[in-house]
Amino acid sequence: MLSKPDETSARKQTAQAIGLLHRAALPDRHHLGWALLWLIAAAFLEVLGPIAGKALIDEHLLPRHLDWPRMATLLAAVLLTGWIASGLRYLQLVRLSGLAMRSVQRLREQVYGHVLRLPMAFFDRAIIGQLVSRVTNDTEAVKTLYVQVLFVMLDSTIVLVGTMIAMAWLDWRLMLIVLALLPAVLLIVWLYQRWSAPAVTRARQLRSEINGQMAESIGGMPVLQANNAEARFAARFGKTNAEHYTQRLAEIRANAWLLRPALDMLNVILLGAVIFAFGQREMSAAEVGILYAFISYIARVIEPLIQITMQFSQLQQSVVATARVSALLDEPVADEHSAAAGVQHASPGATSPGARADVPAVSIRHLSFAYNTEQTVLHELSLDIPQGGFFGIVGHTGSGKSTLLSLMLRYYPVQHGSIAILGEALAGIPNARFRGEVGLVPQDPFLLAASARENIDMGRGLSDADIEAAARAAHAHGFIAALEHGYATELGEGGSRLSSGQKQLIAIARALAGKPRILLLDEATSRIDSQTEQVVQTALDELRGRVTIIAIAHRLSTIRDADRIVVLNHGRIAEAGAHDQLMQIEGGLYQRLYLLQQLAV
Ligand code: ATP
Ligand code: MG
C-alpha cells in the first residue's frame, strides 16, 4: 500500500527498483552503452598514467639515460592520459545525465498518467502530500541512482581494481601493504552506515512531514484562522522543523567525521607504510619510480573508497524511493476500458448501441455495498429509473445517497448485485462512451485555477457556442458575461473568485456541456439561495424529457416536482413515490422531513 512502503522487504524493494530502472532506461540503452565505454576507457587511462611516469623516472631520469624522443613520448603519455581521461569523463557524464534526466521525465509522465487512472477507492486511503512527493521527488531518485550511485560506484570499483592490478604488477609486496589496510576502510564504511543511515532516513521522513503540514495548513487556512489555531500550528511546525535540523546535523557530523578526516588519515598511514617498507628494502635507486607510482596510486585508492562509502546511504534512499514509485505504478488502474480509452473523449451525446427507448436509464438490482468490511452502506437496493424522467433521492446524512451515485459513476466497483445503464451492464461500457453519457454535478463543485471557459470545457475541446449554450442552460451565462473578461476571466484557485452558488452553476454548466443522457446531481442546490434555487429548478425543468435527471437533495423543494422520489434510510429504500404520494404516508420519513423543513422556513 502506498502509505506504508516500509512494510515491503528490502529484497522486494531492490527488485522493484531494478525493474523500474530497467524500464525507465530501456529506450536509451545505447546511451548507457556509450557512457560505460567512456567510463572504462577513462579509468584505464588513469591507471596507465603513473606507469608511464614510473618508466620515465626509472629508465631515463635516474640512470641519466637521456633518450629525448622516448622521454618526450613518456612525458606526453603522463600528461595526455590525464587530459584524455578528463575529456572522456566529461563525455560520460553528459551522456549519463542526459539519459538519467530523460528517464526521470518519462517516468514522471508515466506516474502522473497512472495516477489519473487509479480507482476512486485508492484516493480514499492516499495522502495527497505523499502522492505529490511520488511524482516529484521520488522520480528524481532514479536520476540519483544512475548518476550518483550506480555510476560512481561502478567507476570507483573499476578504478580501484585497475589500480590494485597495476600495483601488483609493479611490486606485489607493496601492493599487499595497501591491501592490508582495506579492512580498516571497511570498518569506517560500516561505522558510517551505522551512524548516518538512520539520520538520513529520519530526516527524509521529517522533510515530507514538513511538506505535508505546510500543504494541510494552506488548504485549511480559513478553518485554521477561524479557530485561532495559528500558534498551535506554528508550534507543531517548529517542532518538526527542529527535529529535522537535529537529524540533518547528525548526518553532517557523520560525514564530517568519517568520510574525509578518517579516510584522509588512512591515506597518510598508507603513505607512511609504503615509504617505510620501501626504505627497509635493499633497492637500487633505479626503482624510485615505483615509489612515485605508488604515491600516485594511493591517492587514487582512497578517493574511490570515499566515494563508494558516500554513495551507500544514498543508494539505500534511492532504492526505497524508486521502489515506492514502482509500487505506485503497480497499483491496478480503475478498469481496462479507461486504460484502453486513454485520453480520448466521447463525442458529446454519443448514443449507446443498446439504448432503446423502452429500457430504463438506470436499472439497479439487489445492490449491496461496503467501503470496508465492518460497515455495509447499501443493502439490497433494487430500483428502475425511466429514461427522460426526473428522479429524486432524499435521506438523512450518511444514509448512502452519495455512495449510490458513486457506484453509478463507476468510482467504485459493484460488489453485490448489478447496475445497468441504458440496458448495458455498467462494467462493460467503454469509459469514453460512459463518461459522455453520464454527467455529474458533485456535492463539492471543484473548479480549476483557470478561466470560466476552461472550467466548463474541462479539456474536451468544445466550441464557444456549445460552452455558451451550456452556460445559458445552467443559467450561469448572466454572471459569467458580467465578469470583467467574460468567459476568459480567471476564476482563481478553486474558483475563489466566485460565490458558492456561482460555483455550483458553473459545475452544472460543465456537466451539461458534455450533453449527457443521464445527469446526476449531488446537492446541487445546497449552497444557493431560494431565488437561485428557482433558477436551477427552471434549468432542470427545461431538460425534462431529454435528459434523465437523478438529483440528491436535502432541500426537498428542489425535488418536489420530481416524477419519483426515493427515500433512503441507513442504506435501504424506506419509501418511494411522487411527492404527493409520499406526503400521504402518515408518520412517514418523507412527510416528517418535509414538515420539519416547512417549520424551519
Ligand atoms: P450526506 O447527505 O451527508 O451527503 P450521504 O447520504 O451522501 O450523506 P454517503 O456519503 O453516501 O452519505 O455515506 C454513507 C456512509 O458511508 C457513511 O456512513 C459514511 O461514513 C460512509 N462513507 C462515505 N464515503 C466513504 C469512504 N470514501 N470510505 C469509507 N466510508 C465512507
Ligand atoms: Mg452526500
Side-chain angles (χ1 to χ4, degrees), residues 94 218 270 380 443 506:
V94 169
I218 293 173
L270 262 185
E380 288 277 323
Q443 197 158 6
I506 295 250

Side-chain angles (χ1 to χ4, degrees), residues 244-528:
H244 180 252
Y245 165 81
T246 315
Q247 295 296 340
R248 286 284 294 159
L249 207 62
E251 181 194 337
I252 287 165
R253 283 226 177 85
N255 288 0
W257 262 104
L258 290 175
L259 288 182
R260 287 288 160 192
L263 287 169
D264 277 348
M265 207 155 75
L266 265 187
N267 191 5
V268 175
I269 294 174
L270 262 185
L271 278 180
V274 166
I275 292 172
F276 182 75
F278 194 79
Q280 290 297 88
R281 283 169 23 191
E282 283 292 312
M283 277 201 172
S284 64
E287 279 181 66
V288 171
I290 288 189
L291 190 60
Y292 157 79
F294 263 82
I295 291 172
S296 309
Y297 282 139
I298 285 171
R300 267 165 227 205
V301 170
I302 294 294
E303 191 53 38
L305 287 174
I306 294 178
Q307 289 296 337
I308 292 176
T309 315
M310 279 184 13
Q311 299 313 322
F312 255 114
S313 68
Q314 195 57 259
L315 173 68
Q316 229 169 348
Q317 295 297 320
S318 303
V319 165
V320 172
T322 313
R324 278 199 296 245
V325 175
S326 174
L328 177 57
L329 283 175
D330 286 344
E331 287 280 342
V333 295
D335 58 71
E336 77 278 20
H337 294 304
S338 59
V343 289
Q344 293 168 23
H345 301 296
S347 51
T351 44
S352 94
R356 301 191 318 269
D358 53 339
V359 299
V362 181
S363 174
I364 297 173
R365 290 284 169 275
H366 306 290
L367 182 69
S368 295
F369 181 78
Y371 288 102
N372 39 51
T373 41
E374 297 103 67
Q375 184 201 9
T376 306
V377 177
L378 297 177
H379 303 266
E380 288 277 323
L381 289 193
S382 290
L383 187 60
D384 274 330
I385 300 174
Q387 284 188 51
F390 180 5
F391 200 88
I393 303 176
V394 299
H396 286 298
T397 279
S399 56
K401 305 180 295 292
S402 296
T403 304
L404 184 58
L405 285 205
S406 294
L407 289 175
M408 287 187 210
L409 284 159
R410 288 214 298 219
Y411 288 163
Y412 299 89
V414 171
Q415 294 165 346
H416 298 286
S418 67
I419 301 181
I421 299 267
L422 297 165
E424 268 186 278
L426 199 60
I429 310 173
N431 209 42
R433 179 150 59 79
F434 177 75
R435 296 295 175 212
E437 272 171 2
V438 182
L440 168 74
V441 182
Q443 197 158 6
D444 298 307
F446 166 78
L447 296 201
L448 305 171
S451 67
R453 186 194 189 289
E454 286 165 302
N455 263 295
I456 295 175
D457 185 29
M458 284 303 278
R460 287 175 288 198
L462 306 175
S463 70
D464 285 340
D466 278 346
I467 293 208
E468 195 184 313
R472 277 185 194 278
H475 293 251
H477 175 76
F479 81 83
I480 296 174
L483 296 170
E484 71 259 31
H485 304 297
Y487 282 83
T489 313
E490 293 291 323
L491 300 182
E493 187 165 342
S496 53
R497 280 219 38 189
L498 299 180
S499 75
S500 295
Q502 289 171 331
K503 282 187 220 171
Q504 243 162 6
L505 294 181
I506 295 250
I508 295 173
R510 176 194 290 158
L512 291 180
K515 303 203 176 106
R517 290 156 59 89
I518 299 172
L519 181 62
L520 306 179
L521 300 113
D522 195 349
E523 302 287 1
T525 52
S526 60
R527 296 155 184 253
I528 53 190

Side-chain angles (χ1 to χ4, degrees), residues 47-62 71 73-79 81 170 286 288-294 296-297:
V47 173
L48 225 53
I51 293 182
K54 182 237 169 222
L56 182 64
I57 295 171
D58 284 353
E59 288 166 30
H60 299 280
L61 293 179
L62 288 175
M71 282 167 66
T73 313
L74 284 174
L75 187 63
V78 173
L79 297 176
T81 48
L170 286 174
V288 171
I290 288 189
L291 190 60
Y292 157 79
F294 263 82
S296 309
Y297 282 139

Side-chain angles (χ1 to χ4, degrees), residues 85-96:
S86 309
L88 291 177
R89 291 220 174 272
Y90 163 79
L91 289 179
Q92 173 231 312
L93 194 65
V94 169
R95 284 268 176 180
L96 190 64

